[in-house]
């Protein structure tokens, strides 16, 4: 189903309209005369440092093999020049070894054309390739250190402005050759399209998948004997037609390619080794908006300040299909971590709920980049979350499912550690507690009523874990007011223990707070009064000995709510009632 949806996407967006050609930036045109003599090297590189996008014959798959392009390729094939292999002082040594073999492969393809068709431009290119002096003059047109090996080269002959590979005769010969080769291939019923067609022995490779080879990696592959069975070779083990194989790969490569604003044109990076890409049956504009909500850039966030959810309301066309797949690279292969399909309207609804679940305190309702959330709960050692946790979290957000409990554990673990950087501590704390709140709000409950976690301080909430979290925030505030800035606060030393084993920690902290109040004098009366109000909400029996995982999450939410309330300006009557210091944000 996934491959069928990707293939349909490629056909709908016109990505597979020309299976033999692809658009790539061509950096230089080698202008030659009809005898193959070198005239000049014309750069097409624009202000952005990239060559002019041009339709060229699709380049063959390469790894350790030698496979030449057709009238357009890199210097290794067109000029037999490999900067790494060259040993001459100027870098213009005669091609040897692999460089010579690549030049010969490129020349052989051109000679196939000249042997079968009378095309003067093809004969001119053949003469150029055979002439070592012309090739050296081409290389000498630039300084040796300017050649990087990644320049795409093509040919123009005489005064023509049309590259040789785009001439009608050349195109016709290339298409005829491809058709003849396809006719020689094995045919079978394609598992994706259900039609009898030529089976792809090996599939094209995906590019820009995290942790995959830079040369590309395969999603479907039977390239070794260990993967084959019943005597079937390569693609015969799971027959997929050449057209479908090309279609799904073109679709994924289009979604995975880098854009000016993003690392993936239509994808969200999840940790170090995974990326979620999605596509829809809707318009590209709708997909762009969905991506902006799911993973906003800094520009998107500025735009969302005025109307964060504008356009997120399900519309009349929202019953169109939505597909998402999460891919992870492993050297030469690509693994599918998650895959699902839904409706655009349902996804919009779930994204809205996702934002509402994450909202906490005074923060405005709106998108939060996924990478910020994941960064807030990853271990301080720099090691990311477990490979599938980020995948499950984003998948649950888009499906409207419960978040994994591992996310609650990761956020609580991170809260128990002292802040790594005080500059970002308040923002990091907000993101961690927002994830805790969202996880608690979505947890399946055995009772009839779901767990309700409010956005801001709930003074009527008498649940002991929540009240204890509030009390801890008050005690921390008392310590800060009495002793000023400290290297180690009670939060640094006791937050983890207080949230797990309140009975062991709170008696000691309350005893300490008496000294803090005494030191503050009259200025600490309002904090003492707040402490008394919070303590009055607790049941009369002793503090709980142990809090479970969900209760520890409630403790963190109560702590954050009370802490944020301290940073919020109090109303005039409240100010009048207090005799203490003013309460403003320290940030």
């Amino acid at each position: 189903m996934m491959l069928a949806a990707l293939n349909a996407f490629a056909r709908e967006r016109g990505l597979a309209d020309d299976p033999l050609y692809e658009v790539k930036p061509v950096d230089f045109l080698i202008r030659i005369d009809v005898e193959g003599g070198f005239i000049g090297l014309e750069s097409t590189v624009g202000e952005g440092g990239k060559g002019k996008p041009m339709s060229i014959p699709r380049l063959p798959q390469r790894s350790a093999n030698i496979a030449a392009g057709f009238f357009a390729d890199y210097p290794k094939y067109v000029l037999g020049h490999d900067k790494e292999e060259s040993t001459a002082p100027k870098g213009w040594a005669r091609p040897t070894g692999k460089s010579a073999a690549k030049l010969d492969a490129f020349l052989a393809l051109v000679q196939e054309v000249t042997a079968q068709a009378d095309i003067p431009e093809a004969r001119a290119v053949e003469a150029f390739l055979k002439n070592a002096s012309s090739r050296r003059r081409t290389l000498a047109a630039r300084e040796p250190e300017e050649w990087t090996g990644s320049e795409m080269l093509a040919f123009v002959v005489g005064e023509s402005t049309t590259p040789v590979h785009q001439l009608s005769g050349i195109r016709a010969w290339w298409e005829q050759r491809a058709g003849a080769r396809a006719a020689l291939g094995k045919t079978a019923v394609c598992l994706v399209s259900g039609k009898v067609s030529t089976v792809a022995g090996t599939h094209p490779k995906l590019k820009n998948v995290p942790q995959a080879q830079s040369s590309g990696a395969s999603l479907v592959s039977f390239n070794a004997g260990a993967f084959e069975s019943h005597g079937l070779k390569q693609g015969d083990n799971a027959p997929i037609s050449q057209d479908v194989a090309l279609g799904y790969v073109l679709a994924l490569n289009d979604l995975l390619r880098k854009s000016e604003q993003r690392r993936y044109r239509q994808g969200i990076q999840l940790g170090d080794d995974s990326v979620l890409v999605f596509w829809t049956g809707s318009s590209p504009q709708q997909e762009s908006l969905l991506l902006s909500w799911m993973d906003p850039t800094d520009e998107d966030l500025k735009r969302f300040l005025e109307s964060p959810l504008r356009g997120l309301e399900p519309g009349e066309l929202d019953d169109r299909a939505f597909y998402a797949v999460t891919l992870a690279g492993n050297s030469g292969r690509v693994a599918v971590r998650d895959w699902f399909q839904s409706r655009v309207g349902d996804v919009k609804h779930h994204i809205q709920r996702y934002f509402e679940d994450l909202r906490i305190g005074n923060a405005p309702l709106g998108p939060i980049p996924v990478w910020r959330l994941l960064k807030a709960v990853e271990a301080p050692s720099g090691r990311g979350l477990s490979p599938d946790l980020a995948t499950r979290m984003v998948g649950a957000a888009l499906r409207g499912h419960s978040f994994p409990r591992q996310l609650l554990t990761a956020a609580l673990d991170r809260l128990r550690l002292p802040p790594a950087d005080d500059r970002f501590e308040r923002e990091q704390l907000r993101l961690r507690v927002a994830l805790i709140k969202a996880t608690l709000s979505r947890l399946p409950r055995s009772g009839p009523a779901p767990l309700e976690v409010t956005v801001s301080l709930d003074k009527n909430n008498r649940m002991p874990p929540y009240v204890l979290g509030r009390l801890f925030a008050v005690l921390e505030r008392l310590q800060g007011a009495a002793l000023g800035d400290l290297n180690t606060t009670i939060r640094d030393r006791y937050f983890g223990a207080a949230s797990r084993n309140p009975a062991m920690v709170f008696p000691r902290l309350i005893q300490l707070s008496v000294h803090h109040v005494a030191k503050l004098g009259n200025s600490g009366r309002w904090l003492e009064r707040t402490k008394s109000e919070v303590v009055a909400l607790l049941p009369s029996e002793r503090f709980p000995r142990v809090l479970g995982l969900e209760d520890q999450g409630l403790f963190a939410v109560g702590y954050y709510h009370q802490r944020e309330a301290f940073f919020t300006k109090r109303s005039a009557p409240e100010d009048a009632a207090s005799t203490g210091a003013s309460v403003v944000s320290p940030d």
Side-chain angles (χ1 to χ4, degrees):
M1 181 61 199
M2 184 185 81
L3 299 185
L6 282 166
N7 183 49
F9 176 77
R11 309 289 164 187
E12 182 184 333
R13 297 294 168 89
L15 302 175
D17 286 351
D18 195 349
L20 298 180
Y21 279 71
E22 62 182 331
V23 175
K24 276 188 173 293
V26 173
D27 302 289
F28 293 97
L29 294 173
I30 302 174
R31 187 169 293 280
I32 58 178
D33 59 30
V34 292
E35 303 297 331
F38 174 74
I39 297 177
L41 186 66
E42 301 174 2
S43 172
T44 65
V45 177
E47 295 181 354
K50 294 184 178 179
K52 180 182 179 182
M54 197 176 292
S55 176
I56 65 170
R58 196 173 295 282
L59 293 177
Q61 288 191 60
R62 293 168 181 163
S63 52
N65 60 320
I66 293 177
F70 187 57
F71 283 97
D73 212 320
Y74 299 107
K76 293 179 183 177
Y77 284 88
V78 177
L79 303 174
H81 173 65
D82 189 335
K83 194 172 183 178
E84 296 176 358
E85 288 187 4
S86 177
T87 56
K90 293 293 185 181
W92 306 147
R94 182 184 182 82
T96 57
K98 278 193 172 182
S99 297
K102 290 172 182 174
L103 176 62
D104 290 343
F106 191 85
L107 174 61
L109 206 48
V110 175
Q111 287 177 323
E112 275 193 55
V113 180
T114 55
Q116 300 174 18
D118 183 18
I119 304 175
E121 290 84 355
R123 289 199 303 273
V125 174
E126 180 186 11
F128 170 85
L129 295 174
K130 289 180 176 177
N131 190 330
S133 172
S134 294
R135 296 198 309 274
R136 282 197 295 270
R137 289 178 62 193
T138 306
L139 288 169
R142 303 178 75 202
E143 293 297 324
E145 54 273 13
E146 291 180 335
W147 289 98
T148 64
S150 61
E151 301 89 351
M152 178 59 68
L153 306 175
F155 292 93
V156 286
V157 177
E159 301 296 326
S160 174
T161 57
T162 304
V164 174
H165 65 266
Q166 290 185 352
L167 296 174
S168 58
I170 298 293
R171 286 187 66 102
W173 185 90
W174 187 237
E175 291 169 3
Q176 183 183 3
R177 181 179 185 270
R181 292 171 68 92
L184 298 175
K186 186 175 182 178
T187 59
V189 176
C190 175
L191 295 179
V192 177
S193 66
K195 300 177 181 176
V196 177
S197 38
T198 306
V199 175
T202 57
H203 294 202
K205 293 184 177 180
L206 303 183
K207 302 287 184 65
N208 208 22
V209 178
Q211 302 297 321
Q213 291 176 350
S214 58
S215 58
S218 300
L219 181 63
V220 180
S221 174
F222 298 91
N223 63 335
F227 310 128
E228 299 174 346
S229 59
H230 301 287
L232 299 174
K233 297 294 182 184
Q234 294 192 331
D236 296 342
N237 289 271
I240 296 175
S241 71
Q242 292 180 351
D243 290 342
V244 171
L246 180 64
Y248 85 76
V249 171
L250 288 177
L252 282 175
N253 280 338
D254 180 63
L255 300 172
L256 287 166
R257 69 179 165 84
K258 189 176 181 180
S259 70
E260 292 184 0
Q261 295 81 26
R262 296 178 179 277
R263 180 173 179 181
Y264 303 103
R265 185 187 74 80
Q266 199 158 294
I268 304 170
Q269 181 155 6
L270 306 177
D272 294 332
D273 69 343
S274 302
V275 56
L276 177 146
V277 295
F278 71 93
W279 66 101
T280 73
S282 186
S283 63
Q285 293 75 20
Q286 277 286 316
E287 291 174 349
S288 177
L289 280 174
L290 277 174
L291 183 60
S292 297
W293 287 313
M294 291 159 59
D295 193 38
T297 62
D298 291 341
E299 292 299 319
D300 293 331
L301 290 174
K302 291 177 184 174
R303 183 161 48 86
F304 285 144
L305 285 177
E306 295 182 358
S307 52
L309 303 183
R310 184 178 180 182
L312 198 51
E313 304 83 6
E316 57 182 9
L317 299 179
D318 287 348
D319 59 345
R320 296 186 180 180
F322 175 95
Y323 306 97
V325 60
T326 302
L327 303 173
N330 183 4
S331 189
R333 299 186 182 279
V334 177
V336 175
R337 287 200 184 279
D338 191 20
W339 147 255
F340 75 95
Q341 68 178 91
S342 181
R343 298 186 321 130
V344 173
D346 292 339
V347 171
K348 283 185 175 182
H349 175 73
H350 295 150
I351 292 176
Q352 257 187 324
R353 184 192 167 195
Y354 170 64
F355 294 155
E356 290 165 359
D357 287 346
L358 284 175
R359 187 183 182 191
I360 190 164
N362 300 320
L365 179 64
I368 303 174
V370 173
W371 68 267
R372 283 191 191 174
L373 290 170
L374 299 178
K375 195 74 178 174
V377 294
E378 74 176 14
S381 61
R383 290 185 300 176
L385 300 173
S386 65
D388 67 334
L389 183 54
T391 301
R392 291 165 60 197
M393 187 198 86
V394 176
L398 297 179
R399 293 178 172 102
H401 292 175
S402 301
F403 284 162
R405 285 177 181 269
Q406 284 175 277
L407 192 62
L408 182 58
T409 305
L412 287 170
D413 286 345
R414 197 64 189 86
L415 274 181
R416 292 178 189 124
L417 298 174
D421 192 333
D422 292 338
R423 294 174 301 170
F424 309 112
E425 171 52 16
R426 190 176 179 187
E427 175 65 8
Q428 295 288 75
L429 178 64
R430 180 179 76 86
L431 295 177
R432 289 164 190 155
V433 179
L435 279 173
I436 291 172
K437 171 181 172 287
T439 307
L440 292 176
S441 302
R442 290 171 174 237
L443 280 178
R445 316 263 317 164
S446 56
L451 182 63
E452 292 186 7
V453 186
T454 57
V455 173
S456 55
L457 182 63
D458 180 5
K459 292 185 176 180
N460 297 318
N461 191 333
R462 304 181 71 92
M463 297 181 71
Y466 183 82
V467 177
L468 286 172
R470 288 186 59 194
L471 179 58
F472 190 88
V474 175
L475 298 176
E476 180 191 40
R477 183 68 181 177
L478 266 171
Q479 184 196 39
L483 305 180
D485 293 334
L486 298 171
N487 290 331
T488 304
T489 66
I490 64 169
R491 182 188 163 197
D492 298 332
R493 297 186 61 181
Y494 297 111
F495 185 90
S499 62
R500 283 193 304 259
N501 308 102
M504 292 180 59
V505 178
F506 272 98
R508 175 179 172 81
L509 294 181
I510 289 177
Q511 188 178 8
L512 280 174
S513 71
V514 174
H515 300 294
H516 296 154
V517 170
K519 185 169 184 177
L520 283 171
N522 288 336
S523 63
R525 288 174 55 190
W526 70 278
L527 279 172
E528 177 66 11
R529 187 170 60 252
T530 304
K531 185 181 80 173
S532 301
E533 291 171 357
V534 174
V535 170
L537 297 173
L538 290 170
S540 56
E541 58 264 25
R542 61 178 297 177
F543 291 107
R545 295 174 61 86
V546 178
L547 293 182
L549 191 64
E550 295 177 25
D551 289 339
Q552 291 175 39
L554 269 181
F555 181 98
V557 173
Y559 167 77
Y560 182 82
H561 281 170
Q562 185 62 59
R563 193 171 183 270
E564 281 300 288
F566 285 141
F567 291 151
T568 305
K569 279 191 175 181
R570 291 169 290 156
S571 61
E574 198 174 351
D575 283 337
S578 71
T579 58
S582 61
V583 180
V584 294
S585 168
D587 299 332

